[in-house]
Amino acid sequence: MADSNTGELRRSLGLFDAVTIGLGSMVGAGIFAALGPAARAAGSGLLLGLAVAAVVAYCNATSSARLAARYPASGGTYVYGRERLGEFWGYLAGWGFVVGKTASCAAMALTIGAYAWPSHAHPVAVAAVVGLTAVNYAGVRKSAWLTRVIVSLVLAVLAAVVVAAFASGAAGAEPLRPAGTTLGGVVQAAGLLFFAFAGYARIATLGEEVRDPARTIPRAIPIALAIALAVYALVAVAALAVLGPRRLGEATAPLVDTVRAAGTGWLVPVVQVGAAVAALGSLLALILGVSRTTLAMARDHHLPHALSAVHPRFGVPHRAELLIGLVVAILAATADLRDAIGFSSFAVLIYYAVANASAFTLGRDEGRPHPAIPSIGLMGCVLLAFAMPLSSVASGLAVLALGVAAYAIRRARAK
């Protein structure tokens, strides 16, 4: 049993479950939606952007894995920044993660509604949030089981898209050549595609619920990242080869357009269902990660301490999960946040910048990665963050400033 106020979470996740949760976060709605905006930014340089995003993601994954093995507690970079750099940097990372990923939760919920029942997108989005919050409330093992089913279905749909594209006469090699691509476009595309890679951190934020975390977490993160990268590369090449950069950049549902152009229109409903299921998996994992970071921040009184309660029967941070579910449901019912991907990417990249800076301080006896890895990761995160559209950068800076002000006020009152 877990203490209802200060108890620890149950360590019930093995390597397979941890990898599955990471894949559920990465191989989700991003692959169905991010290719279009990335192609608009970089054209045929989309694949170069994917490579840049993968390099930054690898550095972040390595830094996060080493830190998670050292600090296997819920909260991810919030904990790492606090322990390695000081309370403020941990708080800033946690604040950026909670706010950015809460917006992502609402966007994923609206994606479910848009694919499942476009004329009633908002009610469907709210129902999805309520349902997944209930699943998470019942325990993380049930969440891992549902994620496993979702990942299997999504991978099957993506495999069908790739086979249909390459088997058709519509695919060609010419669209894959990066002609007329600008460096700025490639970097912005990398930042947009990074949004889809960011799920590996969900494994680290579940550190307190993983069995043998010193061994499991460093293995689970790279495995999940490698599988996701392979899937993304295959799907991106297939879509680009069939549609070309211009049509891909104009597509609102890139994979639906891909199967239509490939002459396999019968796959359209399959892809639509796959997209809705993928968004469901992303939303499930996002709610898990945000609630665990909220739990960690509440334990340290950066958020109301009542949110640190752990359910005595289910062993989950039930108050944090209910609050996050309520906020996301309200956002999904009242706003269209699909344009918040840029804002979310900005906040999450700042989060990972803190992770890389934290990893740089590890000693050799603490599992420090090669110094080049956190250095490249830190510089890459900052570069990609500020390459986002100006509106996303401005809103991201404003929200971070709000969090800093709240931190300063709390510290002043504590003196």
Side-chain angles (χ1 to χ4, degrees), residues 359-377:
F360 198 81
T361 69
L362 290 171
R364 290 186 178 180
D365 59 336
E366 297 175 301
R368 182 183 68 190
H370 189 285
I373 291 177
S375 298
I376 294 172

Side-chain angles (χ1 to χ4, degrees), residues 4-247:
S4 61
N5 292 311
T6 60
E8 295 183 352
L9 303 178
R10 294 171 184 163
R11 297 194 183 278
S12 57
L13 300 178
L15 176 63
F16 185 79
D17 288 330
V19 170
T20 302
I21 287 176
L23 280 177
S25 304
M26 287 183 282
V27 185
I31 191 61
F32 291 89
L35 290 178
R40 283 196 294 273
S44 55
L46 162 67
L47 298 178
L48 294 176
L50 182 64
V52 172
V55 169
V56 175
Y58 172 77
C59 294
N60 295 348
T62 302
S63 293
S64 297
R66 300 297 176 86
L67 289 161
R70 178 72 179 171
Y71 303 102
S74 287
T77 301
Y78 165 70
V79 175
Y80 316 149
R82 181 191 65 199
E83 295 296 328
R84 308 302 308 191
L85 304 176
E87 181 180 319
F88 170 77
W89 293 105
Y91 168 83
L92 186 66
W95 174 257
F97 183 88
V98 169
V99 174
K101 288 302 184 179
T102 298
S104 295
C105 287
M108 291 301 98
L110 285 164
T111 300
I112 296 169
Y115 275 94
W117 198 354
S119 60
H120 295 80
H122 289 282
V124 172
V126 173
V129 173
V130 172
L132 292 186
T133 299
V135 170
N136 283 337
Y137 194 98
V140 71
R141 283 288 303 176
K142 294 180 178 61
S143 299
W145 178 86
L146 180 57
T147 301
R148 188 181 307 169
V149 174
I150 291 172
V151 168
S152 299
L153 290 173
V154 173
L155 288 176
V157 171
L158 294 178
V161 172
V162 171
V163 170
F166 289 138
S168 73
E174 184 64 27
L176 303 179
R177 297 174 182 172
T181 299
T182 65
L183 178 61
V186 170
V187 174
Q188 187 171 117
L192 292 167
L193 290 167
F194 180 83
F195 173 80
F197 276 114
Y200 53 75
R202 215 69 68 246
I203 302 170
T205 58
L206 295 171
E208 198 172 315
E209 294 159 277
V210 173
R211 295 192 301 269
D212 190 13
R215 176 178 172 82
T216 300
I217 293 174
R219 294 174 63 196
I221 291 177
I223 291 172
L225 178 62
I227 295 173
L229 174 58
V231 171
Y232 270 62
L234 283 171
V235 174
V237 169
L240 196 57
V242 170
L243 295 178
R246 183 183 61 80
R247 290 174 63 191

